[in-house]
Amino acid sequence: MRRIGWAIALAGAWLTPAAAQAPASAPTQTSAAAPVATPPAGTAQNPGQPDVGQPAVVPGTTGHMIPTPGIGQPDGRKGIQDQVTPIGEEAAGFHNNWLLPLCALISIFVLGLLLWAIFRYRRAANPTPSRNSHNTTIEVIWTLVPVLVLVAIAIPSIRLLRHQYSPPPADLTVKVTGHQWYWTYEYPDNGVSFDSYMLKEANDPTRQANQRARTNADGPPLLAADQRMVLPAGKVVKFIVTADDVIHSFAMPAFWIKQDANPGQLHETWAWVDRPGVYFGQCSELCGARHGFMPIAVEVVPPAQFAAWVASKGGHIAGAAPPAPNSTAISPVSQSNIPTAAQPTPPAPPPGSRPAVQQPATAQNK
């Protein structure tokens, strides 16, 4: 058996190609001569978007307003952020002025009952336990009091829900689409659409050399975005929220907004912000490995600045005709529809008849 093993080993060594027995330095020289791949140009986390033609970032201008510390962003304090929408102010007032005091009173009352029962009915004071097991008065009280408390909470809660889900007519519509892991904002009435990515830190090893790094003028770390959603102040904005891969959540604490973004579904929420400024939020649904790197940056500006920003994006204000690329030129399709003397206008079909439809030739219709 040993001789057979040696024979197989020698046969394998003899059949080994000469290329496998070449010195190890040959592949090293070949790999050294190969060109090193350079990552494509891009901004933030979008390597497919070229840097050529992008305007320089000027802090303080529309789309790059400098945030106000403590407004629209977490600042380390406990509690709810300062609200800048009517719904947010109503909800924060309901929470701070009604729910918290009521919870404190109920907790103090229950703690007092517990301490009184421990002291009053201790074993030393009651060597012979009572045989009573029912008390009609106490049972009626502990049934009615919680019901009255729930009714008192339900009245302002239902009013808040009615205000939240009965929005006024919208002045602007923004479609928000969540991706892994960035946002797309579309202004369907203005012809504007763009992606928004998180700005990386200057010392981030994953940041490309030609990608802009975050600065303090952009916002806090993990919240600053390369392109912000810009909204006009004092206008009702309707958000249509959806997703294209997994469930995300469009959350803006200062607006009192937290709306899930489900693939294949359209959800609606709204906001009315009168205070210009920069506000930050994040995806509030566990959407994958980079869930914590999916910020939301919203900039609220006066209506005149919003109109100028829309024009800079190549869009137009809703209600105004979009700018034509060449108003004097007439497309061949439009020109063929203009009647001339040699081509009289065809007579109108009689009432009740179906107009003929010219279909292109297909495999079944030639």
Side-chain angles (χ1 to χ4, degrees):
M1 296 298 294
R2 292 182 178 179
R3 294 179 179 178
I4 297 176
W6 280 106
I8 295 175
L10 292 175
W14 180 73
L15 294 174
T16 302
Q21 300 178 3
S25 59
T28 304
Q29 296 176 359
T30 304
S31 60
V36 179
T38 303
T43 60
Q45 295 178 2
N46 187 0
Q49 182 178 358
D51 291 336
V52 180
Q54 294 184 2
V57 174
V58 180
T61 59
T62 303
H64 304 284
M65 184 186 299
I66 300 176
T68 303
I71 301 297
Q73 57 182 290
D75 55 0
R77 59 179 170 174
K78 297 181 180 179
I80 301 174
Q81 288 188 19
D82 295 337
Q83 299 298 303
V84 294
T85 63
I87 296 297
E89 293 175 353
E90 182 180 356
F94 175 51
H95 175 270
N96 297 332
N97 304 328
W98 181 245
L99 290 182
L100 283 183
L102 183 61
C103 292
L105 290 176
I106 293 176
S107 301
I108 293 173
F109 177 72
V110 173
L111 179 61
L113 284 179
L114 181 61
L115 295 177
W116 179 78
I118 293 175
F119 177 80
R120 173 67 178 79
Y121 298 103
R122 69 189 189 277
R123 184 175 183 179
N126 298 274
T128 302
S130 174
R131 299 290 183 180
N132 297 330
S133 60
H134 294 281
N135 188 309
T136 304
T137 303
I138 293 180
E139 291 179 356
V140 170
I141 291 175
W142 74 34
T143 301
L144 289 181
V145 170
V147 171
L148 295 177
V149 171
L150 292 177
V151 171
I153 295 176
I155 293 176
S157 297
I158 294 175
R159 182 173 61 247
L160 175 61
L161 290 174
R162 180 170 57 86
H163 294 164
Q164 186 173 358
Y165 291 99
S166 299
D171 301 313
L172 176 68
T173 300
V174 179
K175 182 181 178 182
V176 180
T177 305
H179 310 271
Q180 288 183 323
W181 290 269
Y182 63 98
W183 297 95
T184 296
Y185 303 130
E186 301 178 42
Y187 298 68
D189 297 332
N190 307 103
V192 175
S193 176
F194 57 91
D195 299 331
S196 179
Y197 293 83
M198 185 191 75
L199 287 174
K200 298 181 180 180
E201 299 299 307
N203 58 354
D204 191 337
T206 64
R207 184 180 67 87
Q208 298 179 13
N210 57 349
Q211 292 176 347
R212 185 170 70 90
R214 184 200 66 86
T215 63
N216 293 330
D218 296 311
L222 302 180
L223 292 178
D226 59 345
Q227 295 199 71
R228 299 170 178 169
M229 178 195 303
V230 180
L231 303 177
K235 301 294 183 180
V236 178
V237 181
K238 177 173 67 175
F239 300 101
I240 300 177
V241 184
T242 186
D244 73 338
D245 37 40
V246 298
I247 300 178
H248 300 276
S249 183
F250 180 74
M252 183 60 59
F255 295 176
W256 201 265
I257 288 178
K258 184 181 180 297
Q259 180 62 62
D260 282 352
N262 298 330
Q265 298 182 7
L266 298 178
H267 300 282
E268 180 180 329
T269 185
W270 68 284
W272 184 90
V273 186
D274 192 32
R275 180 191 180 281
V278 185
Y279 307 92
F280 298 95
Q282 279 183 313
C283 175
S284 298
E285 188 71 34
L286 189 58
C287 57
R290 297 190 62 84
H291 156 71
F293 305 92
M294 194 172 170
I296 303 168
V298 178
E299 183 172 321
V300 180
V301 298
Q305 295 184 19
F306 174 76
W309 175 82
V310 170
S312 68
K313 291 289 186 179
H316 59 278
I317 298 300
N326 189 355
S327 58
T328 59
I330 302 178
S331 63
V333 176
S334 302
Q335 191 173 7
S336 62
N337 295 331
I338 301 177
T340 59
Q343 183 181 0
T345 304
S353 62
R354 299 178 59 182
V357 179
Q358 184 178 0
Q359 299 180 351
T362 60
Q364 292 82 18
N365 181 18
K366 294 184 179 180

